[in-house]
Amino acid sequence: MMPGTSDKHADRSTPASRPGRGGRHWLLLILIVGLGASWLFNTAQQRSDSGSSPIPWVLGLDAGLEQAARTGKPIFLDFTADWCPPCQAMERDVYSQPEVIRLLADRFIPVKVDLTRPDSAQRAAAQQHRVTAIPTLIVVTPDGTPVSRWEGYLGADELDAWLQAALARLPSQPPPPAAQPS
């Protein structure tokens, strides 16, 4: 090209190859990915925060059986998952009701078995109790014998009535062993 002439195609660089422009695209991409990862982490942290629920959920059937053996209380099992709309509706609309919170906290060992990404213990609990649909709610004696079972959504009043009926079906239990003084 000769000095003093212009060629509208003389600058054949792409926007990404021009100094400073491509770096902005990468920075924007990194910022978007970082914000997305931060949101996912915070959401997962909120779901796993046991302090976020007023119900004293025990995570895992084995831990629930240990507590039931100590207290003599029956176990309320809630088989649930994050991807289950009726499970999430129960979490939001039913387990937030004062009468449900009181009943579960006072009369049961409430055990949540989260099948979102089940580990071997959660899979074993689901197989042991023949869980084929969620939500599945089961009341078991302190030794693990099933007393009552429900598959599907229950509203607060229905859950209260179902739990009361399950309590009435429980065999009379001897009081839990007294703590031995040391």
Side-chain angles (χ1 to χ4, degrees):
M1 187 145 92
M2 298 184 64
T5 64
S6 69
D7 182 358
K8 63 181 177 185
H9 299 292
D11 181 16
R12 297 189 193 281
S13 62
T14 62
S17 66
R18 290 184 198 136
R21 300 257 347 233
R24 284 189 232 151
H25 292 288
W26 279 108
L27 182 61
L28 182 61
L29 179 64
I30 290 169
L31 180 64
I32 291 170
V33 169
L35 288 173
S38 174
W39 177 81
L40 285 173
F41 176 78
N42 286 336
T43 301
Q45 195 66 14
Q46 289 170 357
R47 286 184 183 147
S48 68
D49 180 16
S50 60
S52 66
S53 174
I55 295 173
W57 291 108
V58 175
L59 300 178
L61 181 56
D62 290 339
L65 286 168
E66 288 175 18
Q67 282 192 26
R70 282 194 314 272
T71 64
K73 290 181 178 181
I75 299 170
F76 169 74
L77 289 168
D78 177 18
F79 289 88
T80 185
D82 288 352
W83 45 263
C84 165
C87 301
Q88 297 310 306
M90 285 190 71
E91 189 69 39
R92 181 187 61 243
D93 303 331
V94 177
Y95 296 143
S96 62
Q97 297 302 309
E99 65 276 9
V100 172
I101 295 166
R102 225 178 352 269
L103 181 60
L104 287 175
D106 293 347
R107 304 287 306 274
F108 293 91
I109 303 295
V111 175
K112 188 174 292 273
V113 182
D114 188 350
L115 300 176
T116 303
R117 288 174 289 287
D119 60 22
S120 60
Q122 293 161 328
R123 276 192 293 277
Q127 287 174 345
Q128 175 186 353
H129 290 284
R130 296 181 185 96
V131 173
T132 58
I134 55 173
T136 293
L137 312 173
I138 304 173
V139 172
V140 300
T141 62
D143 69 359
T145 305
V147 172
S148 189
R149 174 188 190 94
W150 184 269
E151 291 180 357
Y153 178 89
L154 281 175
D157 292 338
E158 294 85 6
L159 179 62
D160 185 81
W162 180 76
L163 289 171
Q164 295 293 348
L167 286 170
R169 283 193 293 275
L170 285 170
S172 55
Q173 296 285 323
Q180 300 295 323
S182 17

